[in-house]
Amino acid sequence: MKERPTLARLAEQLGADLRLAPGADTEQVPTGLNTLQDATPAQVSFLASASYRRFLVDTRACAVLVSEELAAECPVSALVVENPYHAFALATALYDRTPRPAPGIHPAAVVDPDADVDPEASIAPGAVVEAFARIGAGAVVGANCVVGESSEIGAGTRLHPGAVIYHGCFIGRDCVVHSQAVIGADGFGFAPHRRRWTKIHQLGGVEIADEVEIGAVTCIDRGALGNTVIGRGVKIDNQVQIAHNVQIGDYSAIAACSAVAGSATIGKHCTLAGGAGVVGHVTVADGSHITARTLVTKSIDSAGSYSSGTPFSDSRNWRRNAVRYSQLDQMARRLKVLEKQLEALRQPGRDGEKD
Amino acid sequence: MKERPTLARLAEQLGADLRLAPGADTEQVPTGLNTLQDATPAQVSFLASASYRRFLVDTRACAVLVSEELAAECPVSALVVENPYHAFALATALYDRTPRPAPGIHPAAVVDPDADVDPEASIAPGAVVEAFARIGAGAVVGANCVVGESSEIGAGTRLHPGAVIYHGCFIGRDCVVHSQAVIGADGFGFAPHRRRWTKIHQLGGVEIADEVEIGAVTCIDRGALGNTVIGRGVKIDNQVQIAHNVQIGDYSAIAACSAVAGSATIGKHCTLAGGAGVVGHVTVADGSHITARTLVTKSIDSAGSYSSGTPFSDSRNWRRNAVRYSQLDQMARRLKVLEKQLEALRQPGRDGEKD
Amino acid sequence: MKERPTLARLAEQLGADLRLAPGADTEQVPTGLNTLQDATPAQVSFLASASYRRFLVDTRACAVLVSEELAAECPVSALVVENPYHAFALATALYDRTPRPAPGIHPAAVVDPDADVDPEASIAPGAVVEAFARIGAGAVVGANCVVGESSEIGAGTRLHPGAVIYHGCFIGRDCVVHSQAVIGADGFGFAPHRRRWTKIHQLGGVEIADEVEIGAVTCIDRGALGNTVIGRGVKIDNQVQIAHNVQIGDYSAIAACSAVAGSATIGKHCTLAGGAGVVGHVTVADGSHITARTLVTKSIDSAGSYSSGTPFSDSRNWRRNAVRYSQLDQMARRLKVLEKQLEALRQPGRDGEKD
């Protein structure tokens, strides 16, 4: 178990300038982190957004991560940093109590004799590691995970319980894969033939770079011919579907329930909000932001924010308006007719005298 | 295996008034339940909705759960109850043949010596129960489930095969968790920093009250600081995503493929139909009903039914109308102009004489 | 490991007419398949769509699967077939290197003594096969899969790691079930009673015909009374939700993230594109095609293509238009008023003289 830092040590670890409130003690050991409103005098808090500024004055936290501009308003000890939200993120690592298993292969794990498991890796009970798989130093293969033949799990990468990596997939270093995620299942490919479907066996693999996080139940399919590729530092939430041969650029983030269809390319530094969708074979430019539940149906050429969908309202009003949606084209044509007719009335000279 | 009840015993168990048809026998043992149309003379049926009333006259069921008002129309034995649909639900418990394993720890389960498993709990083969976890009396941990360190599974709760509970999560009594559900995976939290993402370790847990049902593959993430909380008697279907720090009020029901984003609060007695979505940080009032695939983008202050989306139609018509959607604002402006121009024509005196 | 075929043998296996380029050798053993653009001289390619025709002239592939019409344009050896895409699909089977485990029960599997496992079936480590389950010849139950009591897995069917089949479910021959798929979890049925929910135990099962493929994480719920039924040759992608008592007709295909609600009936030879939805109790005619993310809210009586949703655009324009959506009914009424008023102006005689 990591020991919790004193205020002085915390400041040091976060690169913060500690400005003690009167009577405060640099040797106090905060018990954890909390919001400005909920923090107890034993906890550290943070002011990451102007919208929470009003809570600063009444906070009971023992110290607050703040920017220089707002440090003077802090009624308790201030931990002055450039970017309080980032400092908060760094601080969470110090208070995280997620258990980390000791290195070694649990006797109830099943590791093929032809697998190559680093002695500093940890293989939990019920995990299955198949032939020619390689597990790097410090990697954790959680309980009941499966790592398929010839797949590779990079050093420091953690697979949470139940994650499944099919054969021939490559996961880089320092990744996190949450429970029930499935990496390398067959892409959905079938050729129609005489009104039936002939399977296109998926001959490619999956290639995941370093520092990628993959949420629970998320699926990343293997490529049909080449690989499906996830770039460095990409963060993917739960229940996301990444189809065969998709490419996701470095440092993009994809929120829960999003789906990217086959052979689509998402650029670097993109964000897809929850439930976003991208159809197959399109390209999304670097730095694009797709809002919640938007379906991207063609390529996006330049960075920006993109949306689709309709606003919600009470069902009665919604129904009235939704019905009109089916008449929109007709409405547009009627509008055009009206404009012409009205123009004729207003400028009777153009088409001939009215009187 | 439970023994099936006689008609008389069934009536007793459901609190029904049994009105035997001529020649019928209170000691008959029905073999099961079925719809009015499909029931055999060995089965019991039910009339739960007026729209099925027309099937009553021809039913071959040996007995029908009906309300007092319709009992007279029943051509076979009637089991008269106040609420036939509820009585049917109660009856299904009597005919359910879902296997229930005997208490005890299967030799192929892996239970940490520091875990606390009630002798009346059942731990199936392949299940992994980590240190300091507590499993209550009558609880069932299904095959290949994982219960993380210090988590608690209440008495009578059943985890179906493959469910994963991370560390530090609390599940109440008499809950059902279906296969591959993931409770307590990390919420999706990252702070942007120099165009990369710094992980915000998720320090909270998950707290699930009694009598909650959670569908297959559903994810309920652990909180960032405090807990994610699911109220008493909440029913959640398959493939639902509940993000960190969400609160779901008692007795709400959430249908498949719905998603609730971080820190949203859903009230009590709400229903979310299939594929509904709620964005982060909003509040949905008690008793709200969200229709299928609706995306709730701001707080709902009063009970009611809420919707979004467009009607479906054949793709050709849809395309014509959808194109106009992108012109809607322009159409609205043109409409406004027309109204002004027409008003000027109709009331020429207002803006000056026309002739 | 299957041996790779020579060009001559490949032609024979695909029923292709091999037309050797000058200097080419029927005994060459291609190493694999690739696209026209990416194929090396050691690989075979295919021309399946006119839109790729422009890549044919420069391909470096050793041979190309082409139709008779385009064979003359092929700069390398041609494998002339009737349907190049279908021939390509057949060829993928020859190059597929998905490991296939040897028959037998792994010592780390847990098979109930009352289960009936064919000696030619393969049961992987960590798999659990419950009492009275039947596993057919050549079937593969992958690592950490669970097959519930009295369920049946047909000959030649493969369950990938972690798939869970509840009790009393039937899966036909030559099916593929990907990881974390859940077959036979409870349908979502609860009767409201005094503002609480009473569970309707799901007494039916699941019946899956031959040659069905089911994607990773896909859920097919058991029926409430009768069975949920998936027809022959149906292909279902990842993260699809099939609710209780749904019927899917033969040879239909359902792309990722689609959902079909309770008691809906999908006809034969239908396709649902990604994220499509079908509400409960409706019927979709044979041969219907539902486009991406369309929600089918009532029955479809005749084959065709069906859509819903709005186009995406940059968020600023989208917002402007979306706001108008909530005014659509009002706009339609204003349009109607304008038409009447204008008509009165244009035909003043009708309602009375204007001058």
Side-chain angles (χ1 to χ4, degrees), chain A residues 85-86 92 99 144 160 178-180 213 217 238-239 251 269 293 309-310 312-313 315 318 322 329 339 346, chain B residues 126 144 162 166 182 193 195-199 201 217 221 240-241 275-276 305-307 309 321 324-325 334 341:
Chain A
Y85 195 51
H86 181 244
T92 58
N144 293 334
H160 283 280
H178 282 284
S179 289
Q180 322 294 31
E213 182 150 346
V217 181
N238 297 343
Q239 301 186 351
Y251 304 108
H269 302 289
R293 297 249 175 145
T310 70
F312 87 106
S313 64
S315 299
W318 169 79
D329 184 52
E339 285 171 333
R346 294 177 74 221
Chain B
N144 294 335
Y166 278 54
V182 179
H193 184 63
R195 308 197 73 205
R196 302 187 173 197
W197 301 102
T198 301
K199 183 172 176 74
H201 294 266
V217 181
D221 283 350
V240 169
Q241 156 71 3
S305 174
Y306 297 88
S307 302
N321 292 314
R324 300 299 186 180
Y325 187 75
R334 285 160 59 197
Q341 292 179 340

Side-chain angles (χ1 to χ4, degrees), chain C residues 218-281:
Chain C
T218 282
C219 299
I220 302 178
D221 283 350
R222 65 192 316 112
L225 293 169
N227 289 340
T228 303
V229 180
I230 310 295
R232 189 185 179 96
V234 166
K235 308 299 179 186
I236 303 178
D237 198 353
N238 297 344
Q239 300 185 353
V240 170
Q241 156 71 2
I242 306 287
H244 49 183
N245 299 101
V246 164
Q247 318 272 322
I248 311 276
D250 296 350
Y251 303 109
S252 283
I254 300 182
C257 306
S258 292
V260 183
S263 301
T265 298
I266 309 289
K268 297 177 181 181
H269 302 287
C270 291
T271 58
L272 275 65
V278 177
V279 304
H281 295 274

Side-chain angles (χ1 to χ4, degrees), chain B:
Chain B
M1 188 80 91
K2 291 170 288 189
E3 218 175 304
R4 292 185 189 126
T6 61
L7 266 184
R9 178 98 182 97
L10 183 62
E12 195 184 313
Q13 295 198 285
L14 302 177
D17 179 15
L18 175 56
R19 301 192 190 156
L20 273 192
D25 176 5
T26 60
E27 292 311 296
Q28 180 178 355
V29 177
T31 60
L33 301 169
N34 214 335
T35 58
L36 288 171
Q37 305 100 291
D38 293 337
T40 68
Q43 294 176 316
V44 170
S45 192
F46 60 103
L47 175 53
S49 148
S51 58
Y52 291 99
R53 187 171 169 180
R54 64 203 155 102
F55 296 118
L56 182 59
V57 62
D58 290 327
T59 192
R60 298 167 60 229
C62 61
V64 178
L65 291 157
V66 283
S67 62
E68 185 64 65
E69 303 92 280
L70 298 170
E73 293 180 24
C74 185
V76 295
S77 296
L79 288 154
V80 182
V81 291
E82 211 183 296
N83 179 342
Y85 195 50
H86 181 244
F88 161 67
L90 293 176
T92 59
L94 306 174
Y95 296 99
D96 183 28
R97 290 297 171 267
T98 305
R100 202 159 180 99
I105 299 174
H106 190 279
V110 177
V111 176
D112 189 281
D114 285 328
D116 175 5
V117 177
D118 189 282
E120 292 304 309
S122 167
I123 313 292
V128 175
V129 179
E130 299 186 350
F132 314 114
R134 300 179 61 176
I135 313 291
V140 175
V141 178
N144 294 335
C145 284
V146 179
V147 179
E149 206 173 293
S150 304
S151 282
E152 190 167 338
I153 309 297
T157 285
R158 179 166 197 167
L159 310 184
H160 283 280
V164 172
I165 317 298
Y166 278 54
H167 64 282
C169 294
F170 178 95
I171 301 183
R173 301 167 70 100
D174 299 319
C175 294
V176 177
V177 180
H178 282 284
S179 289
Q180 322 295 28
V182 179
I183 312 298
D186 287 348
F188 195 62
F190 298 89
H193 184 63
R194 297 185 185 159
R195 308 197 73 205
R196 302 187 173 197
W197 301 102
T198 301
K199 183 172 176 74
I200 298 169
H201 294 266
Q202 303 290 300
L203 309 178
V206 177
E207 214 180 307
I208 296 175
D210 298 343
E211 296 166 27
V212 170
E213 182 149 347
I214 294 168
V217 181
T218 282
C219 299
I220 302 178
D221 283 350
R222 64 191 317 111
L225 293 168
N227 290 338
T228 304
V229 180
I230 310 295
R232 188 185 180 97
V234 167
K235 308 299 179 186
I236 303 179
D237 199 354
N238 298 343
Q239 300 186 352
V240 169
Q241 156 71 3
I242 306 287
H244 49 184
N245 299 101
V246 164
Q247 319 271 322
I248 311 276
D250 296 350
Y251 304 108
S252 284
I254 301 182
C257 305
S258 291
V260 183
S263 300
T265 298
I266 309 290
K268 297 178 182 179
H269 302 288
C270 292
T271 59
L272 275 65
V278 177
V279 305
H281 296 274
V282 303
T283 297
V284 173
D286 290 355
S288 297
H289 303 291
I290 313 299
T291 62
R293 295 249 176 145
T294 293
L295 179 62
V296 175
T297 51
K298 46 189 177 185
S299 288
I300 292 177
D301 296 327
S302 58
S305 174
Y306 297 88
S307 302
S308 69
T310 71
F312 87 107
S313 63
D314 66 282
S315 299
R316 199 170 163 179
N317 277 321
W318 170 78
R319 215 172 288 118
R320 273 200 201 109
N321 292 314
V323 163
R324 300 299 186 180
Y325 187 75
S326 307
Q327 307 167 353
L328 254 186
D329 184 53
Q330 185 223 63
M331 281 171 63
R333 290 167 191 278
R334 285 160 59 197
L335 191 58
K336 187 92 188 159
V337 168
L338 280 180
E339 285 172 333
K340 281 195 184 155
Q341 292 179 340
L342 192 61
E343 197 53 24
L345 281 183
R346 293 178 74 223
Q347 306 198 349
R350 282 225 187 147
D351 299 325
E353 297 293 313
K354 203 196 167 194
D355 282 338

